[in-house]
Amino acid sequence: MLAGGLVAGCAERAAPPPVVPAAPVKAGPEITVVATPIPMDAADPTKVTAEGGFSYAGGLVLTSPDTTRLHGLSDLRIGAGDTLTAITDEGDVFEARIQLDAAGRLAGLADGKLFPLPGPDGLPLQGKHNADAEGLTVMPNGDRLISFERDHRIWLYPAQADGGWRAPRPAPKPATILPDNEGLEALSAYPAAGPDAYIVGGEEGEVWLCRLSTDCKSLPPQSGPDFTWGLTAFAPFQGTAVATLHRGFDPVRGWRAIVRFISDPTLPLARQRTAASLHVDGAMPRDNFEGLALSTSPSGAIRVYLISDDGAVSAKQRTLLLAFDWTPPPPPPPAPAKPPKKPARKR
């Protein structure tokens, strides 16, 4: 009788059958990206003109219901077919396809993927000290370089036919001592100095020209307006020119950003020229902009993409992707030819 009661009691307390999801559960790197449009000026949503000859080409606030890791975006590049590749300061890669509206303006993102960067052992990077990726560039042969801070280094991820990311190898880095959280923020291929050349910038404005085949040498600094600004990104422009991104913050003025087109960062500062400057300030959408990329708009203008790292200061920060267009002014007409000098008459 006692044994039968124990058996019956165990049967009554048996675990319930597993609950089967009503629909397939997503697995793998694919994520849904919610892209909410944001105007350049909330008080005047029709405004699209910015100072310096730039026009607003759309902006998005990015979130995802599928992951908590879509944040901390530190740099980006735009590839063929308007493909976006970004890296995060937690060691992830974010890929998506940019969607444009009928007017060629930024409208959304599709085909989102988020996956961890592999280390030299092929395994995902672990811990903030090892995974704090800050700069991203693509070399002329398709190899990708990523710069890291905290553990200050640059890694080369060889190009793959399938576009994947395999185990990296070290690349030359500047021989300098950097603060723990103010490292190699800015990184860009620099084909003007050779197919294996790239420029690297520290947050305090230091700049170096490096080559995969040799070491790095110092260049003139790229400083912001004052000490509250830091250098966060480079992007290759035309010929010897590059675009620079500085972000500024203080408790009174909040976040600001400046993009500059610099004629030649290898020249002494007195000989460098700024072709254009984009100031993200005032009523414009502002945050901790750390990523910069250039492409060509459907109309043929230079398109500037900015992306923000949402985790620097406040829980109120957002992941913003903004686009601006700039058309270089036409070159000035050639000066009229000087009339030939008449030969002086000999007396």
Side-chain angles (χ1 to χ4, degrees):
M1 187 72 172
L2 179 61
L6 287 174
V7 171
C10 290
E12 292 172 359
R13 293 191 296 271
V19 177
V20 179
V25 177
K26 183 181 294 185
E30 292 79 12
I31 62 170
T32 300
V33 179
V34 178
T36 305
I38 184 171
M40 191 180 84
D41 186 341
D44 183 5
T46 63
K47 184 177 180 180
V48 295
T49 302
E51 294 182 6
F54 290 84
S55 61
Y56 190 58
L60 304 171
V61 182
L62 304 180
T63 58
S64 175
D66 298 330
T67 178
T68 61
R69 295 181 68 89
L70 183 60
H71 70 96
L73 301 181
S74 301
D75 207 357
L76 78 163
R77 286 295 177 264
I78 308 298
D82 281 333
T83 56
L84 179 151
T85 301
I87 45 143
T88 83
D89 57 18
E90 291 190 354
D92 288 326
V93 179
F94 172 55
E95 295 180 347
R97 180 172 51 83
I98 292 175
Q99 295 178 312
L100 305 178
D101 63 17
R105 294 166 53 85
L106 176 63
L109 295 180
D111 305 330
K113 295 181 181 180
L114 189 72
F115 53 89
L117 274 169
D121 58 2
L123 299 176
L125 299 178
Q126 299 294 321
K128 184 74 169 179
H129 182 77
N130 296 317
D132 195 348
E134 295 293 338
L136 166 67
T137 195
V138 180
M139 301 298 284
N141 67 351
D143 291 345
R144 289 165 286 206
L145 295 180
I146 291 185
S147 61
F148 297 82
E149 66 181 9
R150 301 178 195 270
D151 180 4
H152 305 294
R153 65 201 189 276
I154 300 174
W155 280 352
L156 184 150
Y157 287 83
Q160 304 293 325
D162 62 357
W165 296 70
R166 303 294 187 268
R169 65 176 185 267
K173 68 173 185 176
T176 188
I177 297 175
L178 296 163
D180 180 60
N181 195 31
E182 294 182 3
L184 305 174
E185 293 270 353
L187 180 66
S188 173
Y190 194 62
D196 71 336
Y198 51 101
I199 56 172
V200 187
E203 189 169 345
E204 295 183 348
E206 320 97 307
V207 181
W208 297 267
L209 175 63
C210 305
R211 290 181 173 84
L212 295 173
S213 55
T214 183
D215 54 7
C216 305
K217 68 175 185 179
S218 294
L219 294 179
Q222 295 291 336
S223 301
D226 59 48
F227 71 95
T228 65
W229 295 77
L231 175 65
T232 61
F234 286 136
F237 190 33
Q238 299 170 341
T240 61
V242 297
T244 67
L245 171 63
H246 288 80
R247 59 96 195 274
F249 176 81
D250 65 55
V252 176
R253 293 173 292 178
W255 294 106
R256 296 98 66 211
I258 298 176
V259 178
R260 296 171 175 156
F261 293 126
I262 305 297
S263 61
D264 189 338
T266 68
L267 295 177
L269 288 175
R271 295 173 55 194
Q272 295 183 23
R273 298 291 179 265
T274 301
S277 296
L278 167 64
H279 293 253
V280 182
D281 205 340
M284 300 168 74
R286 293 188 281 155
D287 213 292
N288 177 30
F289 287 109
E290 291 198 358
L292 167 68
L294 302 180
S295 67
T296 303
S297 75
S299 66
I302 304 299
R303 176 153 293 180
V304 179
Y305 284 103
L306 300 176
I307 204 162
S308 68
D309 177 344
D310 65 345
V313 174
S314 166
K316 296 181 180 179
Q317 290 179 250
R318 300 168 295 178
T319 298
L320 300 178
L321 177 65
L322 306 184
F324 295 86
D325 288 346
W326 178 69
T327 301
K338 294 183 179 180
K341 289 184 178 180
K342 296 181 180 181
R345 294 178 60 184
K346 292 183 180 180
R347 297 181 180 273

